[in-house]
Structures are given as C-alpha cells and as structure tokens.
Amino acid sequence: MKQLFLFTLLLVAIGENSFATNTKDKLYTLDNKMYTGYISTQIPGEQIIFISDGQAIPFSISDLLMIRYEANNPELLTGLNDVIRTRSGNIYQGQIVEQVFGKTIKIETSDGLRNIDISDILEQQKVRMSKDYSYMEQAPYKNIVKTQTGDEYVGVIISQYYGRDEAPSYLEIRSEDGISKRIYIRDIEQIRRIPNETYREVEAFSVKDGKVYFNQVEIEPVCLAIKKKGKRIISYLENKDIANHTVIDSRTGQLSIQMKEDSDYSRYKLIKIKLMKIGKKEYYAYDNDLVSRNNIEPYTSTRDKKKILTKVYNVRKGMYLFYRQGSNSAFFMEIK
C-alpha cells in the first residue's frame, strides 16, 4: 500500500501551474473538511504539509480524499503543462486539475476533461509552454528533493516514472544549470517547494475580439490627436493620456504580442515613439516618416493550430505604441 501512496502523492508534487497566480488549490479530507492553499512539503507515503491562510497544516496521507488544482489561464505564454502517458499507450497533454488519492486523476486537455485511473499511469512529464525559456524560468516554484542519505537536489521535477517491482519508480529533477538527476522514489525522504527567484513571465499583449490584454488584463486604448502640416500627418498623445500609461518591466528585453490571425492582424504595428515639438509644447508623437523608420519588426513569429499568432519583439527602454494602421486609437506603453 505504501507504494500506492508514493505514486499518488508524487503526482501532486510536481504540479506548478497554479503558483503562477495566487494559489487556490483545494484539499479535501475524509472527514468532509476543505482547505484552500497549496502543498509545500511531502514525506512520501506518510504526510504532507499544506499551507492555508498562512498556516502550515500537517496531514496524514490516509486522511485525505482529493485535491483540486486551480488551472492556468490557457492563454498564458509561459508555464509548464502536464503530459500523462498510460500503460495502455495513450498520451494526454494539458493540466492536471483534480486527483482522488489512490484512485483517479483528471487532466484538462484541448479535447476536454479526461479521467484516468491511477493504476494505468506509466509516466508523467512536464513540458514547457515556451521553448524560448528554460524549465526553471517557467516554474514559479522550484523543488528540493532530499534523499535518505541527506543529499539535496534543487530544481524542477520534469518527469516521474511509475514502475513495478522489477522496474522501480523514479523521478527526474533538472537544475538551473540544465543538469538532470534521476532519483529513485524509494530513496526519497522529503520533497519541498520554495519560491523560484528565476521565474519570469513573458510580457505579453493579447488582441482578441477588438480588445487588448496585457498579461491577460484588459487595457484601455488612448485616442490619438491629429495635426496636419501639408502632406505630413502627425499623430500625438495628449498629456492626460501619458499619466495613466502601462509600464512594463521587461527583464527579458522582449515583448510578446499575441493575436488571432485573421484579415485584420497584419494591420497592427509596434512602433517606438519620441518627443516631438508641436507648436510650443512637446508631445509623444509619430508621423509618416517616423513610422517607416521606427516600425519594429518581430524577432520571431509563430502560429498554433487555432491560428493564434505570437510575435516576439526585441525591445529597449523607451515609449512605444501598439496601434492599428488607419485607426486613431492605440495602446501606449513605457518599457523600462
């Protein structure tokens, strides 16, 4: 029976998705109590420590019924997804959203929810949502695996193999340096989670149904004022629009813009703007000439099966506009 507890508990251990925001996993006990928070520590086959409302609460494995995970927003550009490989040969990719201890797990895939018997799972893996970033960069928490001999390995658990007696179960943990270590489950004393200071989110705009989102939060456009000087057309921002602009701390030096590929997508442009003197005052502005010289071309451009286009731009400090050609509205941002 201990092997079964090891099996089910370790499925819980490598889930990282819900840490991307305030974690709201729900733990249910056999005495009909529910706790909201996250698992911080586990002693395989024996005990977990669950953080709820700032308190560390120990639970015996035998007292637990199930745990439900808060799934990631599917439109996030970075993070880790689950891949489940079964003994019957099926492969499911998505996010584990529920586990009934010793019985089943649920994984949310692009084709809907799948309920899988624990005994049918051969291997669980983590895959990166963005190939441009390492496992460590996409995991908001990292794992510390301590063995029975006192050795500790720090990194991200990227796979777990659930074997039989003739092929013992093991996990694979990858360090920040990209070095992988295989550890047999029978040799593990404890697994802990700690905040990952290497974690980073891709600074991302999404364009959907005429609305624009920055890191999944809707932002309001600004209306550009127009001034004509002969053939020269200057579009500029009123000072009142400068005060409430979006500020992006681009630690990566990159900005990702994601939009649905349709007849309109090619009209959106990213441009770096500068102060220009109009009359007696200076405004952040651009004109026809500036557009042709300061239009930023994407570093990479990819599309998925749902025709979602993701463009990644290399950016520096400064003021930028993301705008639709032929429109007087734009999204103004400062990149630091």
Side-chain angles (χ1 to χ4, degrees):
M1 183 64 74
K2 184 178 180 181
Q3 178 67 22
L4 183 59
F5 284 144
L6 284 171
F7 181 99
T8 58
L9 184 56
L10 285 173
L11 275 174
V12 177
I14 69 173
E16 296 289 350
N17 289 340
S18 58
F19 283 99
T21 55
N22 294 327
T23 307
K24 295 179 181 178
D25 297 338
K26 291 180 171 57
L27 182 70
Y28 298 83
T29 62
L30 291 173
D31 58 357
N32 296 319
K33 293 182 180 179
M34 189 271 287
Y35 300 84
T36 301
Y38 65 94
I39 295 175
S40 68
T41 307
Q42 63 172 307
I43 300 173
E46 298 179 17
Q47 186 185 70
I48 66 168
I49 296 177
F50 195 79
I51 306 298
S52 181
D53 294 329
Q55 293 186 326
I57 308 172
F59 291 96
S60 172
I61 297 298
S62 58
D63 293 332
L64 299 178
L65 173 63
M66 64 182 291
I67 186 167
R68 286 177 176 162
Y69 304 104
E70 184 179 41
N72 261 351
N73 186 322
E75 294 173 359
L76 287 178
L77 301 180
T78 58
L80 302 177
N81 274 338
D82 298 293
V83 175
I84 300 295
R85 185 159 62 96
T86 69
R87 299 182 191 279
S88 54
N90 294 317
I91 298 176
Y92 303 100
Q93 180 168 330
Q95 294 180 44
I96 294 176
V97 295
E98 180 182 287
Q99 179 180 352
V100 179
F101 290 96
K103 295 183 179 180
T104 61
I105 68 164
K106 281 184 181 178
I107 182 169
E108 187 171 355
T109 72
S110 58
D111 297 324
L113 284 173
R114 298 283 183 173
N115 210 37
I116 306 173
D117 287 340
I118 290 291
S119 59
D120 192 33
I121 297 177
L122 177 65
E123 186 176 16
Q124 180 190 3
Q125 296 177 322
K126 286 291 180 182
V127 294
R128 295 171 295 161
M129 293 174 65
S130 172
K131 301 302 181 184
D132 296 325
Y133 299 90
S134 68
Y135 280 95
M136 187 68 77
E137 290 174 320
Q138 297 185 70
Y141 275 59
K142 55 188 175 183
N143 304 109
I144 301 177
V145 179
K146 183 178 180 180
T147 66
Q148 301 285 353
T149 58
D151 296 320
E152 288 192 345
Y153 300 91
V154 181
V156 178
I157 298 174
I158 62 171
S159 69
Q160 295 173 207
Y161 176 80
Y162 303 106
R164 304 298 192 192
D165 291 338
E166 66 276 9
S169 301
Y170 62 83
L171 61 78
E172 184 179 346
I173 185 169
R174 184 165 295 179
S175 70
E176 188 172 358
D177 297 329
I179 300 173
S180 295
K181 174 69 176 179
R182 178 181 294 185
I183 306 171
Y184 287 105
I185 292 176
R186 66 192 178 198
D187 296 330
I188 295 173
E189 176 183 309
Q190 184 186 82
I191 299 175
R192 304 196 312 274
R193 280 172 168 166
I194 60 173
N196 177 17
E197 66 279 359
T198 312
Y199 173 68
R200 61 181 63 180
E201 290 182 352
V202 174
E203 289 77 20
F205 278 92
S206 298
V207 182
K208 298 181 302 181
D209 302 324
K211 297 180 180 179
V212 174
Y213 300 79
F214 169 63
N215 283 350
Q216 313 311 316
V217 178
E218 184 180 352
I219 60 174
E220 296 296 327
V222 295
C223 187
L224 298 172
I226 304 294
K227 189 174 183 64
K228 295 182 179 181
K229 290 185 175 180
K231 294 183 179 180
R232 188 184 182 195
I233 301 176
I234 302 174
S235 301
Y236 64 97
L237 291 164
E238 299 282 5
N239 290 332
K240 61 181 177 62
D241 294 320
I242 302 294
N244 298 317
H245 66 277
T246 301
V247 179
I248 303 172
D249 181 9
S250 183
R251 293 165 291 173
T252 64
Q254 292 184 330
L255 176 72
S256 289
I257 297 178
Q258 188 180 64
M259 66 193 77
K260 187 172 183 180
E261 185 180 20
D262 53 24
S263 59
D264 206 37
Y265 84 96
S266 62
R267 302 181 68 180
Y268 282 95
K269 303 292 182 182
L270 180 69
I271 185 173
K272 188 174 184 180
I273 59 176
K274 63 180 182 179
L275 284 171
M276 296 176 61
K277 194 167 185 178
I278 302 175
K280 296 181 178 180
K281 296 182 179 180
E282 287 189 327
Y283 299 90
Y284 281 103
Y286 69 90
D287 60 16
N288 302 19
D289 182 55
L290 188 63
V291 168
S292 61
R293 289 187 291 109
N294 285 21
N295 181 46
I296 301 172
E297 295 297 329
Y299 174 68
T300 62
S301 182
T302 58
R303 64 177 55 81
D304 62 18
K305 294 179 181 179
K306 296 182 179 179
K307 292 188 176 181
I308 300 298
L309 188 70
T310 300
K311 295 183 178 182
V312 180
Y313 299 82
N314 288 327
V315 292
R316 297 181 179 180
K317 291 173 62 175
M319 302 296 188
Y320 291 79
L321 280 179
F322 181 56
Y323 73 103
R324 180 176 173 274
Q325 289 180 303
S327 170
N328 68 338
S329 65
F331 300 90
F332 176 57
M333 71 198 87
E334 178 183 2
I335 295 180
K336 291 187 174 182

